[in-house]
């Protein structure tokens, strides 16, 4: 195997930011559908649900709001996701570097999982408020009741109503979702990359289709772990103030009591349909940016 490129958390930061932009463009339409499916009100007896499933939600959104409807609330994730993925990949790079005794150490898969979990802790500070704003904007578009004029107006109103706590509502659930899911995300990506690398070659020499496949599968494994806490988080962050006094335990109890354990996997199809292309685009963007940075500043 050829000599591996030394880990640089700084390069990871910039390349991760570019990967995050690629992810939002590829994945936002299905993210809108996922949130609308997860937060749609339970139909009254005799009435049918607002959306019958992923395709129905896609069709109704497109008919009613056009392509722009699918990209509703995208400004918040673009502003939040670029630094968030930069911090995420930085956290992963730092987590790897901290576990290396020498720069040429090859890390085990449990060590890669631990490095990924560290990245999940890093990202929550940015992720929690960004997700709260995104969810509120996505569901108001679906309900037709306009309370917020846009992301900044949403921040102002939340701060005015409940201070910084209002903006950071759902942070514990975001941690519960992102710490194990990020571990799975990065470990799976490295594992598939290594599995696809021919004998005697370096994973950094992988072809574009191989990188896309490894990134897409990492996204699927990430969300397989993340969906149940994500459903609870979407519910909790979009609920009226005071509806769930005991936090996520109340949300979990209500969901399981009213809709059964399967409700924890609401939006599964939309999530999985989005996970592959969005994360394939993210890791391809990351790898291309990394190659450029290694060429630009080989010793950084």
């Amino acid at each position: 195997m050829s000599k591996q490129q030394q880990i640089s958390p700084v390069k990871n930061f910039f390349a991760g930011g570019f990967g995050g932009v690629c992810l939002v463009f590829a994945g936002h339409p299905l993210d809108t559908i996922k949130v609308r499916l997860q937060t749609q009100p339970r139909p009254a007896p005799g009435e049918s649900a607002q959306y019958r499933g992923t395709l129905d939600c896609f069709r109704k959104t497109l008919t009613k709001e056009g392509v722009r409807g699918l990209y509703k609330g995208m400004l918040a994730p673009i502003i939040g996701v670029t630094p968030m993925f930069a911090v995420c990949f930085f956290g992963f790079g730092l987590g790897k570097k901290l576990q290396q005794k020498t720069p040429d150490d090859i890390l085990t898969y449990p060590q890669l999982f631990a490095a990924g979990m560290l990245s999940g802790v890093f990202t929550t500070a940015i992720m929690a408020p960004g997700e709260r704003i995104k969810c509120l904007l996505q569901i108001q578009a679906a309900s037709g009741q306009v309370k917020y004029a846009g992301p900044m107006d949403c921040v102002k109103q939340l701060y005015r109503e409940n201070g910084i706590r209002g903006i950071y509502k759902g942070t514990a659930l975001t941690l519960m979702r992102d710490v194990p899911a990020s571990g799975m995300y990065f470990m799976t990506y490295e594992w598939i990359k290594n599995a696809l690398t021919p004998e005697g070659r370096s994973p950094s020499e992988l072809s574009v289709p191989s990188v896309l496949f490894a990134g897409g599968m990492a996204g699927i494994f990430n969300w397989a772990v993340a969906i149940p806490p994500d459903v609870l988080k979407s519910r909790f962050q979009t609920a009226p103030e005071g509806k769930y006094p005991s936090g996520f335990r109340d949300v979990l109890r209500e969901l399981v009591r009213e809709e059964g354990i399967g409700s924890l996997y609401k939006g599964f199809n939309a999530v999985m349909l989005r996970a592959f292309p969005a994360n394939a685009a993210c890791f391809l963007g990351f790898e291309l940016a990394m190659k450029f940075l290694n060429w630009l500043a080989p010793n950084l």
Side-chain angles (χ1 to χ4, degrees):
M1 194 169 158
S2 62
K3 189 175 182 295
Q4 66 164 4
Q5 179 74 37
Q6 284 194 15
I7 294 161
S8 165
V10 176
K11 282 183 191 163
N12 267 32
F13 181 85
F14 290 108
F18 183 69
V21 173
C22 297
L23 175 132
V24 174
F25 274 104
H28 194 77
L30 279 156
D31 188 68
T32 298
I33 286 164
K34 173 198 74 135
V35 171
R36 288 184 179 186
L37 286 171
Q38 286 178 344
T39 58
Q40 67 174 330
R42 196 161 176 240
E47 283 183 14
S48 58
Q50 189 178 356
Y51 307 116
R52 289 195 304 277
T54 303
L55 274 175
D56 185 50
C57 183
F58 185 80
R59 203 172 49 246
K60 283 180 177 164
T61 303
L62 211 53
T63 310
K64 205 167 133 193
E65 301 166 56
V67 174
R68 283 185 64 183
L70 295 169
Y71 281 94
K72 277 261 164 75
M74 192 173 84
L75 189 63
I78 282 275
I79 293 166
V81 159
T82 308
M84 189 204 73
F85 268 78
V87 167
C88 175
F89 278 85
F90 171 81
F92 179 57
L94 186 65
K96 287 198 291 184
K97 210 169 173 62
L98 289 172
Q99 295 180 87
Q100 283 185 318
K101 290 185 177 66
T102 68
D104 294 326
D105 270 5
I106 307 283
L107 297 179
T108 64
Y109 291 119
Q111 284 176 312
L112 290 168
F113 188 85
M117 284 171 71
L118 181 68
S119 83
V121 175
F122 270 67
T123 51
T124 297
I126 304 170
M127 194 74 166
E131 288 267 312
R132 172 118 155 98
I133 293 154
K134 173 180 72 69
C135 288
L136 288 170
L137 291 174
Q138 283 171 326
I139 65 151
Q140 82 165 5
S143 67
Q145 297 170 331
V146 178
K147 185 182 176 187
Y148 309 109
M152 289 318 293
D153 181 51
C154 185
V155 171
K156 277 187 214 139
Q157 287 196 44
L158 287 173
Y159 187 76
R160 204 166 44 239
E161 286 164 18
N162 294 294
I164 203 81
R165 277 187 66 186
I167 297 169
Y168 272 89
K169 183 178 176 181
T171 299
L173 277 165
T174 309
L175 270 174
M176 275 172 61
R177 181 192 71 177
D178 288 350
V179 170
S182 296
M184 184 61 88
Y185 186 53
F186 284 109
M187 183 187 74
T188 306
Y189 179 64
E190 298 282 344
W191 168 57
I192 294 174
K193 253 189 8 170
N194 289 336
L196 294 174
T197 303
E199 195 67 47
R201 304 294 289 274
S202 161
S204 62
E205 297 165 26
L206 274 182
S207 65
V208 167
S210 296
V211 171
L212 286 171
F213 179 73
M217 289 309 293
I220 298 243
F221 276 83
N222 167 76
W223 277 104
V225 172
I227 289 178
D230 186 58
V231 172
L232 297 177
K233 184 193 69 62
S234 291
R235 277 286 175 111
F236 183 65
Q237 287 187 321
T238 56
E241 209 49 53
K243 185 178 178 187
Y244 300 116
S246 300
F248 73 89
R249 287 190 300 277
D250 284 351
V251 192
L252 180 62
R253 269 198 296 270
E254 182 189 271
L255 258 181
V256 173
R257 186 177 66 242
E258 289 183 4
E259 300 176 43
I261 202 85
S263 62
L264 289 173
Y265 279 88
K266 261 195 178 167
F268 182 84
N269 292 345
V271 169
M272 289 308 178
L273 278 170
R274 169 186 175 265
F276 194 95
N279 290 287
C282 172
F283 274 108
L284 181 64
F286 170 77
E287 294 287 357
L288 292 175
M290 209 61 169
K291 277 193 168 69
F292 174 70
L293 290 169
N294 285 334
W295 169 80
L296 193 68
N299 300 317
L300 182 64

